[in-house]
Amino acid sequence: MAGNEAPMMRCELCQPLTIAVLRNNEYNHHPNLVSLRDSATSGCPTCNLFWTCLAKSSIPEAINSHLNGRVYGEDHGTIKQHEATNAALTDTAIRLRGELHDLGDENKETHIESVIWVSSGRRYEPGVENLWPTSVFGRVKLYALPGTSAAKWMSGREVAVTSSNENCFQLIMQWINVCDRNHDCSIGEFPLLPKRVVDVGSFGQEAASILRETGDGGLCGKYAAVSYCWGAGQTTVTTRESFEQFKRGINISELSRSLQDAIHVTRKLGIRYIWIDALCIIQNEENLDDFKEESVKMADYYGNAYITIAVGSAASSQEGFLNQRTSSKPVSCALDYSRPGWNDGSPESRMDPSLGSVYAGLLSSSDVGPLITRGWTFQEAVLSHRLIIFGQNQIMWKCQRLECHEDGLMQKSSGLSYCSPYKWPMSTDTLPGKTQDYHSSLLTHRESPQLRKRLLLDWYNLLRQYTTRKLGNSEDKMAAMAGIAQKMAVCLESRYIFGIWEIDAIRGLLWRNGSGLGNVLRSVPLQRTNRSAPSWSWACMDGSIHVENYGHADKKYADPANHRAEIVRMRSVGSTWDPIRSRDKNDEKDQASTLIVRGVLKPAQRSDEDFLQYPIKKRWLGTFWLPNRRKCLSVVTLLESMQEDANIRPNEVIGIAVFDTAADKANGYDKLYCLRITASLGLLLIPNRLAAQPDTSALAAGSPGSFQNTQRQYSRVGVVLVEDEKWFDSGDYELVSIL
């Protein structure tokens, strides 16, 4: 722990180090990485810290290059080039530079962490072409101990060894109180309680928990919600058999550890009620009646919670989260702290006398943990107003205004980062002290076109994040996003049809495979897993779904002049929010989820031309569509016209097929069909089966139409990027049915 620095002596190069020496200044440390490593091995605690920092922050190849004296890596320049160049152009010295962000006398709402940058390997002089040194760099954090003189100016703090530490609970209460006083994140003291809650009593009454029925929203109160990974360890749940027993009392010791810990945290924070899905939704029903009723209420249950406890670090509910943390840190290094001041406005700076010590140590990871890999937990975070996240190595707070970390970092909330509450638009006329009706507050903004535009872009961003996560049951695909869709629908005033917004259906139908976009977007290749959803809906897939929402994409899709097809009918059956579970899977003749589009349908076939050599139009080489040809090879191929097409030369490339899955590309369909939707994009279809054909005149008049003759229907297998517009322009419009 800090303050218990090992009695080992610092090396000669580390002895002069103080904050005054490092503040916004570059300090020449060891001549190279070998010297730093040797000093760390010899026992200098400060060198050991810097060496460990670089070893953890840099790729092994870069470290080895420096240790072997080969600073120019193969990726940046050949060794022969390096040997033929003046070696003095490369500065291999270890450089230290302090980046200090003192708090100052004012009460800042955001705290930028103070760090020491450690680096080696850079271009020492400009003008040397094709030679880029292999750099190694990292940073160590600076922090002060609470109650010390330096703590007034240094925001960084030491992270507790265990998350059950009393200081952690004091910090959580501090975050809650600041938010209650200064923010509008909390919805009020007395929201409507969910249909069922666990009454945990108060701290010290460990045996007083009962399952309480509230009479379908007839009781108000302050409650917590919990977001966690079930895993394989959820043993005690509410069933029809245990329901009455739990209303008399719940033996907390029989619950999984994560639920025990969540109840402990709720009591410590002085909150009487907690909503836990395993206990408040009746489990193991064959017909899932209670699940179907309660699962579509997540917008209210998490949206009305006073606080949501997010169990980030546990992959299973049996693990718990008030545990000893696994991260091991080297001994912290104390540095004398002083701060700059200004004397009556004079340009001459002075340094305050020493304010004691601060400590340098490895950065505390802000990784949330396995929680952000699970599908259901995504909307639980987005719908919540305020999250207490028990992460892998520290506790974090996220509300709609601030994001605070146990290590002292404090920054404004973006609302779109992983495991964060979304910044829902709020009414400006809610009276102070009144419970806010969230749906009513959203209604005041529904007339704003700019708000709708922003919400749609945010929706596609949220959809991308959600679809990278895993669900234990693919049948939950729509239900686990239903709460977010419900709140979006209030502002958008649009029907939500199998995951597609009717007011933006042209763009929504052109979702694409997210693979090939690189690790930045955490892309997961698609797999077709859910046969209960139509092929035109992203809900039939597992894996990353991307809808174009970059730059001015909204204008491209909103402009009717850019449309090349008309959506005649698009609807789903049963529940708007969970149509998968409410759909009649046994009715093979059910046509309610068929998409009917009026457009030009044209046959095409795969081209033998090499995709890697084909001169693709510039518009497809941006971030969204084809950023890297080789990464896209598993799902992309060129298309050419069929031999019988008289409007174009045989074997000429007319488009680029981006298949939904690698299996779709490998399937080797005899014939593919292109249905152009916009000037530059279309759907890639395959024939499906004989089905009833809707009466054209009735559909044109706006009525559902009757089914008379037979026609072949189609299934979606991808999207088409238009290369030859003339070929796509030729042909007659017809009604196309897509299952």
Side-chain angles (χ1 to χ4, degrees), residues 273-332:
Y273 303 110
I274 183 172
W275 188 86
I276 303 173
D277 56 0
L279 300 177
C280 298
I281 298 177
I282 296 176
Q283 307 293 327
N284 302 332
E285 286 187 306
E286 185 176 351
N287 56 14
L288 299 176
D289 282 349
D290 199 60
F291 172 83
K292 291 177 183 178
E293 178 185 342
E294 293 295 287
S295 64
V296 294
K297 298 179 181 178
M298 297 300 104
D300 292 327
Y301 288 178
Y302 283 93
N304 286 335
Y306 181 70
I307 201 75
T308 295
I309 301 166
V311 184
S313 59
S316 165
S317 63
Q318 284 295 354
E319 295 179 19
F321 58 92
L322 298 180
N323 307 319
Q324 183 87 9
R325 285 162 175 162
T326 57
S327 62
S328 58
K329 296 185 281 287
V331 176
S332 300

Side-chain angles (χ1 to χ4, degrees), residues 12 240 650 686:
E12 182 179 349
R240 288 294 177 189
I686 58 171

Side-chain angles (χ1 to χ4, degrees), residues 32 88 101 172 179 283 389 404 431 500 593:
N32 51 53
H101 300 278
I172 292 171
C179 185
Q283 307 293 327
I389 304 171
C404 306
L431 296 176
I500 308 295
S593 296

